[in-house]
Amino acid sequence: MNLPNMKEAKIRTNNKVEHINLENNIPNSFEGKKYFLRTYGCQMNVHDSEQIRKYLEEFGFTVTEELTEADIVVLNTCAIRENAHDKVFGFLGRCKHLKREKPELIIAIGGCMSQEESVANEIKTKHSYVDIVFGTHNIHELPNMILEANKKLNINVYSYEGNVYENVKYSRDSKITAWVNIMYGCDKFCTYCIVPFTRGKQRSRKMENILDEVRELKALGYQEVTLLGQNVNAYGKDLDESYDFSTLLENVAKIGIPRVRFVTSHPWDFTDEMISLIAKYENIMPYVHLPLQSGSDRILKLMGRRYTKKEYLTLFNKIKEKIPNVAVTTDIIVGFPNETEEDFLETLDIVNKCRYDSAFTFIYSPREGTPASKIKDEITYSEKESRLQRLNEVINKYSLENNYKYVGKIEKVLLLGKSEKDNSKLYGYTETMKLVNVITNKDNIGKIIAVKITDAKSFSLDGKAI
Ligand code: SF4
């Protein structure tokens, strides 16, 4: 394999980001062996797992869903919530038991959690049966680490900010929709968020490389690409180039893949040009995920979110006004340290004004090392739970109300597979990202078809192919 030398990589300067083309040449040395891969967390991790899976499959491993059958177990972890730690270490207990019966089993842990120094130390001192700990910055080194596994615990987590790797190969989950990573890390440093620490500072890929990847996906028949990053609309700001996210989005749309999406956006970086592009191009989907986090100016300031309630509402209204039939979803955190009832009512107020299509709602979870985790919090957990419940009732009311507006309409739905709830139906998504369970012929998987919406629930629609 042509990889950067590990020792050299570790002492490289913190500031200079290099764009490195990967040339992988993985020996087929595990033919007949099985891998078990578990992914925790966000879309970024799901996409990273597609890269991990590609390496494992090139080695000759085949997938198993049965832990006891595995010859290698890879856990791709998440650090966003506090309970993620307990989940991963609980699962590791099962792996330890298995390794007693099968000493040649390789156990590897990667992802955001392994970037935390305390976790690496905990593994070193209490879980030395683990073979490999790799970070988010060096997934490409996993093959070398696997080849050297079972000699001693190999922890290789870069503490520096990481580079940009191009020509990464993936074993993608789907042959219909694909994630396309456009950047790594984040520079926003919201005070509650661990991401800038676990994934490093923002590093954008070069636009031509991204466009090549999208062209390749189009040639393979993909119907949808989602441009992926922690804060996609800040794309390019770290590059010494004249282009930005709007330039990239327009160029991707021009390639002509039927559906283009992007996630996630920060309201602070959302430009008028982006709004015009979504309105102009039929293949840029009318769906925007616009994280709010809180409706209180006091809390937004403590969170370091860089916008006020008024500025958020102005942006929201502009998006609604300029993009026909757009759906907007959001993220909201309740119970940020010392959030008062008045602060919470400000959040409810903005939710009542925006009437979101749906929202991911969370109770604030302190992450060690972040500024917010140092704030002494006087609010009880039961109060936070009660606020979450009150918030969810309002969110669900508007989700249902918005979904009912679709009943009787004809929507274009991209069908992805059999519905989990009812195997006689297929499931897919409207342009506005509404989940639809559709009565139709199973030959339609992978196609965009016209569907008449017959019923609505809070989290999905029912429909019939026409
Ligand atoms: S924008 Fe804020 S919340 Fe989002 S990844 Fe960056 S620091 Fe975290």
Side-chain angles (χ1 to χ4, degrees):
M1 294 182 68
N2 186 5
L3 297 175
N5 176 291
M6 272 182 223
K7 284 193 190 107
E8 275 176 24
K10 278 185 176 166
I11 55 167
R12 260 198 304 253
T13 158
N14 277 347
N15 297 323
K16 177 113 180 57
V17 171
E18 288 182 41
H19 286 71
I20 297 172
N21 223 6
L22 289 181
E23 287 174 36
N24 301 318
N25 181 15
I26 296 175
N28 185 336
S29 24
F30 294 91
E31 191 82 59
K33 304 272 184 189
K34 296 201 166 156
Y35 74 88
F36 179 98
L37 171 61
R38 177 162 285 189
T39 308
Y40 301 84
C42 66
Q43 298 99 329
M44 194 69 73
N45 261 20
V46 171
H47 188 42
D48 284 349
S49 280
E50 293 182 329
Q51 183 183 355
I52 293 169
R53 194 161 57 226
K54 181 73 180 169
Y55 290 142
L56 295 171
E57 290 174 359
E58 287 199 355
F59 267 134
F61 287 105
T62 51
V63 68
T64 177
E65 302 297 327
E66 288 296 329
L67 182 63
T68 51
E69 285 179 3
D71 299 288
I72 181 168
V73 176
V74 184
L75 305 182
N76 189 10
T77 64
C78 165
I80 288 285
R81 317 227 76 79
E82 210 175 13
N83 66 4
H85 175 278
D86 300 343
K87 275 193 200 164
V88 170
F89 281 91
F91 193 78
L92 265 185
R94 287 176 62 195
C95 299
K96 179 184 180 182
H97 184 71
L98 190 61
K99 189 147 178 153
R100 274 202 206 111
E101 295 161 14
K102 205 177 185 180
E104 69 284 5
L105 174 71
I106 300 170
I107 302 173
I109 302 182
C112 288
M113 220 176 83
S114 62
Q115 289 286 148
E116 292 181 76
E117 208 179 327
S118 59
V119 171
N121 286 336
E122 187 175 351
I123 291 172
K124 218 188 284 178
T125 51
K126 296 191 193 149
H127 304 274
S128 54
Y129 54 89
V130 170
D131 299 279
I132 295 168
V133 182
F134 62 104
T136 52
H137 303 318
N138 66 329
I139 298 173
H140 62 281
E141 305 225 44
L142 181 62
N144 275 350
M145 295 172 89
I146 291 174
L147 287 173
E148 289 170 4
N150 262 333
K151 292 182 190 152
K152 62 174 178 37
L153 170 59
N154 185 355
I155 298 183
N156 184 5
V157 181
Y158 288 171
S159 55
Y160 80 113
E161 299 283 12
N163 286 318
V164 174
Y165 294 96
E166 298 290 0
N167 196 28
V168 176
K169 299 283 180 259
Y170 299 98
S171 174
R172 296 184 187 270
D173 282 341
S174 165
K175 295 201 170 355
I176 307 166
T177 62
W179 304 107
V180 175
N181 220 334
I182 64 166
M183 64 202 293
Y184 303 89
C186 180
D187 281 345
K188 284 287 179 289
F189 286 93
C190 301
T191 60
Y192 53 85
C193 182
I194 194 83
V195 166
F197 303 96
T198 58
R199 289 195 174 261
K201 68 177 181 185
Q202 174 174 320
R203 285 111 55 215
S204 300
R205 288 178 65 197
K206 293 274 170 72
M207 183 163 72
E208 255 326 300
N209 294 325
I210 299 169
L211 296 178
D212 281 348
E213 188 175 333
V214 175
R215 284 185 201 108
E216 195 182 317
L217 290 165
K218 183 176 181 239
L220 288 168
Y222 276 84
Q223 297 294 305
E224 180 177 299
V225 293
T226 301
L227 307 179
L228 185 63
Q230 299 294 347
N231 181 15
V232 284
N233 43 359
Y235 169 79
K237 289 187 174 177
D238 54 304
L239 292 174
D240 200 10
E241 304 281 356
S242 56
Y243 51 71
D244 61 7
F245 182 64
S246 296
T247 328
L248 174 70
L249 185 62
E250 181 157 31
N251 281 316
V252 168
K254 282 180 179 165
I255 289 173
I257 219 149
R259 288 183 168 198
V260 178
R261 299 186 187 277
F262 56 89
V263 73
T264 290
S265 316
H266 190 298
W268 198 72
D269 291 306
F270 217 104
T271 60
D272 288 355
E273 206 177 346
M274 281 176 65
I275 299 175
S276 309
L277 286 173
I278 304 169
K280 175 176 167 190
Y281 283 90
E282 269 190 25
N283 63 342
I284 304 178
M285 295 296 99
Y287 165 72
V288 175
H289 185 70
L290 196 67
L292 167 68
Q293 309 304 9
S294 171
S296 152
D297 285 344
R298 190 183 78 84
I299 298 290
L300 285 171
K301 198 163 180 202
L302 285 172
M303 288 176 161
R305 289 293 290 176
R306 308 176 187 212
Y307 52 83
T308 61
K309 178 183 180 188
K310 192 168 164 221
E311 285 164 345
Y312 181 96
L313 269 173
T314 305
L315 173 63
F316 178 92
N317 289 334
K318 213 187 285 176
I319 290 171
K320 279 284 195 185
E321 188 189 307
K322 300 259 166 75
I323 308 170
N325 304 320
V326 68
V328 184
T329 58
T330 196
D331 296 330
I332 299 173
I333 297 171
V334 296
F336 188 81
N338 303 323
E339 179 194 65
T340 62
E341 176 64 14
E342 289 70 34
D343 291 321
F344 176 65
L345 290 176
E346 291 285 348
T347 299
L348 282 187
D349 178 57
I350 201 166
V351 168
N352 281 317
K353 288 190 166 91
C354 293
R355 297 168 171 251
Y356 294 104
D357 282 82
S358 71
F360 297 100
T361 56
F362 311 92
I363 292 180
Y364 167 76
S365 166
R367 304 308 297 121
E368 200 187 319
T370 57
S373 69
K374 297 186 181 81
I375 305 174
K376 194 167 177 301
D377 191 4
E378 305 290 343
I379 311 294
T380 64
Y381 197 76
S382 66
E383 178 58 32
K384 296 181 186 206
E385 282 181 316
S386 142
R387 284 181 194 163
L388 182 69
Q389 196 183 345
R390 285 160 66 198
L391 174 65
N392 283 343
E393 277 166 20
V394 181
I395 294 281
N396 292 346
K397 180 181 89 177
Y398 290 125
S399 295
L400 188 60
E401 188 182 289
N402 281 311
N403 282 355
Y404 263 118
K405 290 184 194 150
Y406 284 73
V407 176
K409 288 193 177 161
I410 295 177
E411 291 290 317
K412 286 183 198 155
V413 177
L414 172 58
L415 293 167
L416 299 182
K418 283 190 180 166
S419 163
E420 270 181 25
K421 287 200 174 134
D422 180 346
N423 252 329
S424 68
K425 294 182 181 172
L426 299 185
Y427 81 96
Y429 288 89
T430 63
E431 295 189 327
T432 51
M433 205 63 192
K434 302 276 179 191
L435 171 65
V436 196
N437 292 304
V438 186
I439 302 173
T440 183
N441 188 324
K442 74 172 184 337
D443 295 343
N444 282 330
I445 293 177
K447 293 183 189 157
I448 297 171
I449 63 161
V451 171
K452 177 151 189 185
I453 306 300
T454 52
D455 200 5
K457 304 178 180 88
S458 283
F459 304 108
S460 64
L461 304 170
D462 288 331
K464 208 174 166 183
I466 56 164

